């Protein structure tokens, strides 16, 4: 009884399953490979020349697509209307499609019709071959470079160079179209000496006497609604003010505050989320996005979470009428950390 029959009997299948009269062979014969079919380009020089021209046409279309991207960016200017944005997006998208599709199709057609189509067997061997084998491998690579026929087919070579050279060029115009370089705009805020603190969002200056112990007030610099880009400024200039017992603050925090009132940036130094939660019993500020926690009693030092830097403190004083006003701007950059900020 064979192993298959014993296994079937053990599973209660008996011998009712039909099988070939000769049984299952111990080893299947190698069926071999079908006869190799030569392509038209392998046997007909005219077909090869025609395929070469087809590849060149596709690469030329890729060149035209790359030029179309640049023309679309330059020619279609934004005027704030949705229609103009729609036309620009469609023109850039279609041009990019032709550039990428034609480049890929040309490469595939080149490989399918003109590159060698020999069937070879690569036997397994040791990871490092002998010197003779290594020399043979180098010879094979050189042979492959020769079989690509770039030297014998200058039309494909030249159009390929043109397509590859022009393809990354639209990226320069894409980066240019994003606007001017930010410079120090990410680090500089509206806060400067003499800027009044106003409540956010209702507005109105804040008297030091109105800030009670344990309270938190969301504030903005006065006049922020009158700047050219108020939302951009709000994303950098948002501040929280809290009042603690002066003996709970460090020397530096108390010096930059007023009678226990301190002002810190509301923008988390991890990813720029608003640090809007204040726990008055522990004097911790919490970012709700990724749970970075800052300790007010330690100059807003990070005590938990992914943030890497403390929240910057805004120096404040009181004017002659009792209103809170900035003594100076932030002494360090506000907002998320990156490679230049640690």
């Amino acid at each position: 009884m064979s192993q298959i029959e014993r296994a079937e009997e053990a599973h209660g299948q008996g011998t009712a399953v039909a099988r070939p009269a000769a049984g299952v062979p111990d080893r299947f014969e190698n069926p071999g490979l079908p006869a190799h079919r030569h392509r038209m380009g392998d046997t007909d020089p005219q077909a090869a020349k025609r395929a070469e021209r087809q590849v060149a046409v596709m690469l030329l279309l890729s060149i035209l697509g790359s030029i179309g991207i640049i023309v679309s960016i330059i020619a279609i200017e934004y005027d704030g209307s949705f229609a103009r944005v729609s036309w620009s997006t469609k023109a850039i998208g279609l041009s990019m499609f032709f550039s990428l599709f034609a480049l890929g199709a040309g490469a595939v057609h080149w490989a399918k019709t003109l590159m060698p189509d020999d069937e070879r067997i690569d036997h397994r061997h040791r990871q490092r071959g002998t010197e003779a084998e290594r020399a043979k491998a180098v010879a094979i690579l050189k042979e492959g470079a020769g079989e690509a026929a770039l030297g014998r087919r200058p039309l494909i070579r030249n159009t390929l160079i043109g397509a590859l050279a022009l393809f990354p060029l639209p990226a320069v115009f894409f980066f240019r179209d994003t606007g001017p370089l930010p410079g120090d705009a990410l680090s500089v805020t509206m806060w400067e000496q003499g800027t009044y603190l106003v409540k956010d969002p209702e507005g109105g200056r804040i008297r030091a006497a109105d800030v009670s112990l344990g309270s938190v007030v969301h504030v903005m610099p006065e006049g922020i609604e009158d700047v050219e880009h108020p939302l951009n400024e709000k994303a950098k200039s948002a501040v929280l003010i809290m009042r603690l017992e002066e003996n709970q603050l460090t020397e530096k925090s108390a010096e930059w505050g007023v009678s226990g009132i301190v002002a810190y940036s509301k923008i988390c130094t991890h990813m720029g989320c608003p640090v809007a939660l204040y726990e008055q019993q522990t004097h911790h500020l919490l970012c709700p996005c990724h749970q970075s926690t800052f300790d007010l009693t330690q100059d807003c030092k990070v005590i938990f979470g992914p943030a890497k830097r403390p929240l910057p403190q805004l120096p404040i004083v009181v004017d002659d009428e009792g209103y809170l006003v900035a003594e100076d701007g932030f002494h360090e950059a506000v907002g998320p950390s990156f490679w230049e900020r640690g």
Side-chain angles (χ1 to χ4, degrees):
M1 182 181 292
S2 68
Q3 293 182 353
I4 295 178
E5 290 172 335
R6 288 196 295 270
E8 291 174 345
E9 184 176 356
H11 287 80
Q13 296 179 357
T15 57
V17 178
R19 61 173 52 80
V24 179
D26 293 333
R27 184 180 181 86
F28 290 97
E29 294 183 2
N30 185 353
L33 295 173
H36 178 68
R37 296 178 58 186
H38 291 283
R39 302 167 304 183
M40 294 181 62
D42 297 332
T43 57
D44 185 357
Q46 291 298 323
K49 194 67 177 177
R50 185 167 55 251
E52 180 180 0
R53 289 194 293 267
Q54 291 168 349
V55 172
V57 169
M58 294 179 188
L59 295 178
L60 286 172
L61 288 175
S62 176
I63 292 174
L64 293 177
S66 298
I67 295 174
I69 297 174
I70 299 173
V71 172
S72 300
I73 295 173
I74 296 175
I76 305 177
E77 298 182 358
Y78 295 112
D79 60 0
S81 66
F82 178 79
R84 188 61 63 88
V85 173
S86 177
W87 275 110
S88 175
T89 303
K90 291 174 182 176
I92 293 173
L94 287 173
S95 300
M96 186 176 294
F97 165 76
F98 279 113
S99 179
L100 287 172
F101 178 79
L103 183 61
V108 171
H109 192 55
W110 181 11
K112 290 286 187 181
T113 58
L114 295 174
M115 290 188 178
D117 190 36
D118 300 331
E119 295 172 349
R120 302 178 183 180
I121 298 175
D122 187 11
H123 295 283
R124 293 185 179 181
H125 53 78
R126 293 180 298 118
Q127 188 171 2
R128 176 184 174 86
T130 63
E131 293 302 323
E133 290 171 337
R134 291 163 65 84
K136 184 179 179 181
V138 173
I140 291 173
L141 291 175
K142 291 181 179 179
E143 180 185 355
E147 288 173 344
L150 287 176
R152 292 188 293 108
R153 302 188 187 277
L155 182 59
I156 289 182
R157 180 194 62 204
N158 295 336
T159 51
L160 176 64
I161 292 173
L164 293 178
L166 278 178
F167 178 73
L169 190 59
V172 176
F173 289 83
F174 275 126
F175 289 128
R176 173 184 172 275
D177 202 44
T178 58
L181 294 174
D184 63 351
L186 298 177
S187 303
V188 177
T189 70
M190 281 187 60
W191 293 107
E192 60 184 6
Q193 185 178 9
T195 303
Y196 282 93
L197 282 66
V198 296
K199 297 178 182 178
D200 181 36
E202 62 269 27
R205 295 180 180 180
I206 305 169
R207 292 183 181 274
D210 295 335
V211 182
S212 59
L213 193 65
S215 64
V216 57
V217 183
H218 300 253
V219 301
M220 288 287 177
E222 188 176 48
I224 195 168
E225 298 296 341
D226 300 327
V227 299
E228 183 178 1
H229 301 290
L231 289 180
N232 290 345
E233 292 300 330
K234 285 184 177 182
K236 300 182 296 180
S237 302
V239 164
L240 293 174
I241 59 173
M242 290 77 47
R243 187 167 203 157
L244 287 72
E245 297 286 354
E246 290 192 62
N247 59 8
Q248 294 176 321
L249 298 172
T250 65
E251 181 178 351
K252 177 246 186 180
S253 293
E255 181 181 351
W256 284 14
V258 175
S259 303
I261 303 174
V262 290
Y264 281 92
S265 171
K266 185 179 173 181
I267 311 304
C268 182
T269 55
H270 173 226
M271 293 291 287
C273 297
V275 182
L277 304 178
Y278 175 55
E279 212 295 308
Q280 62 175 323
Q281 299 300 319
T282 59
H283 307 299
H284 292 168
L285 288 171
L286 176 67
C287 175
C289 293
H290 305 100
Q291 286 72 57
S292 293
T293 307
F294 306 87
D295 189 350
L296 273 173
T297 63
Q298 301 183 58
D299 298 330
C300 271
K301 173 185 175 183
V302 182
I303 60 173
F304 181 80
K308 298 299 182 183
R309 299 184 300 122
L311 295 175
Q313 184 177 1
L314 179 70
I316 56 175
V317 293
V318 177
D319 70 355
D320 296 338
E321 298 180 0
Y323 290 107
L324 293 175
V325 61
E327 184 180 21
D328 198 358
F330 286 105
H331 288 201
E332 58 181 301
V334 301
S337 301
F338 48 86
W339 59 91
E340 294 180 3
R341 295 184 183 175

